[in-house]
Amino acid sequence: NQASIADVHKVQNGKTEYEKAVEEIHKRGIMINASFVFGLDADTKETFQKTCDWIVKNRIETVTSHILTPYPGTALYRRLQAENRITSDDLSLYNTSNVVFKPKNMTAQELMDGYLWLYKNVYSFKNIIKRLPREKSQRPAYLMFNLFTPPCFAALGAMNSEMANAKWFWGGVALQFATGYTIAFVVYQVGTLITTGNFGAGFLPGL
């Protein structure tokens, strides 16, 4: 949302500049994790669909999403408090995955629903395939990471709600993370060995 970018005074950033940057980064064989914040005053219900479309169009490999969080002591918190828009003082909810204020152009529930909807759609099988890296050597690791790793706190929250058992929940989280990271690492290292004759530089490049 270009208006939201302007609201946070990121005058150097624009949609066109972001797309050019993404293209240049991809040309150099680098995959991207893009992080988004939702709930700024210019955001609307339509922002989520537009963001999802942009992510898919530009083949962003991994995405992290956040709900705007007015931490106490910040200028944002003071402004929202003065506007009577702070809805919770429970600091355990100030973790970028809960709505603790009244959004301007949507309801709190619409913000939460949109946040969860974005994750669900970005990491749907259809959009995982649409976001395949153009660099074929990156595709196996990309697929393993996207298909086997829980991508967000929203996904973890859904797991916790459905399992309703702390032991099974943490066991499931550990299994999924270990499986995703291990398979992505192995696929990357084997692919690098086959194509270059050498193993990759380390663990992080394998992800």
Side-chain angles (χ1 to χ4, degrees):
N1 188 326
Q2 195 63 53
S4 293
I5 293 174
D7 278 351
V8 293
H9 310 297
K10 290 191 173 184
V11 295
Q12 76 279 12
N13 296 338
K15 182 179 178 182
T16 303
E17 286 75 14
Y18 277 127
E19 291 185 348
K20 288 180 179 177
V22 167
E23 182 181 2
E24 291 301 318
I25 291 169
H26 280 160
K27 280 182 181 178
R28 288 159 175 78
I30 301 171
M31 290 191 278
I32 296 171
N33 175 73
S35 186
F36 299 88
V37 175
F38 296 101
L40 296 164
D41 280 354
D43 286 345
T44 66
K45 292 185 294 182
E46 288 71 34
T47 299
F48 302 103
Q49 181 68 63
K50 291 178 180 178
T51 303
C52 185
D53 292 343
W54 187 90
I55 291 167
V56 173
K57 172 188 173 185
N58 289 280
R59 296 174 183 255
I60 303 299
E61 287 83 2
T62 64
V63 171
T64 52
S65 180
H66 309 274
I67 293 173
L68 181 69
T69 301
Y71 293 106
T74 64
L76 175 62
Y77 182 89
R78 290 190 292 272
R79 177 172 70 82
L80 294 182
Q81 189 176 46
E83 296 172 359
N84 196 32
R85 292 170 60 190
I86 298 295
T87 58
S88 176
D89 293 319
D90 182 353
L91 294 182
S92 69
L93 300 178
Y94 282 65
N95 56 10
T96 79
S97 60
N98 289 285
V99 183
V100 295
F101 70 102
K102 298 176 184 176
K104 189 171 185 178
N105 286 309
M106 66 183 102
T107 67
Q109 189 60 53
E110 286 170 340
L111 175 53
M112 175 58 75
D113 289 346
Y115 164 75
L116 296 174
W117 178 90
L118 183 82
Y119 269 121
K120 179 180 178 181
N121 281 270
V122 166
Y123 288 101
S124 68
F125 183 75
K126 176 184 71 174
N127 282 331
I128 287 174
I129 297 303
K130 285 184 176 180
R131 288 168 26 242
L132 272 173
R134 289 190 172 89
E135 180 61 50
K136 292 182 179 179
S137 65
Q138 295 176 338
R139 291 179 180 177
Y142 161 84
L143 285 171
M144 294 303 102
F145 192 81
N146 274 265
L147 291 172
F148 288 100
T149 304
C152 63
F153 286 113
L156 297 180
M159 288 171 60
N160 186 42
S161 176
E162 291 174 6
M163 289 182 174
N165 181 295
K167 182 171 68 174
W168 282 104
F169 166 69
W170 287 112
V173 170
L175 178 62
Q176 285 190 278
F177 270 110
T179 301
Y181 276 78
T182 301
I183 293 177
F185 172 69
V186 170
V187 169
Y188 172 80
Q189 294 292 354
V190 171
T192 302
L193 179 62
I194 292 172
T195 56
T196 68
N198 297 296
F199 286 109
F203 187 74
L204 288 178
L207 304 180

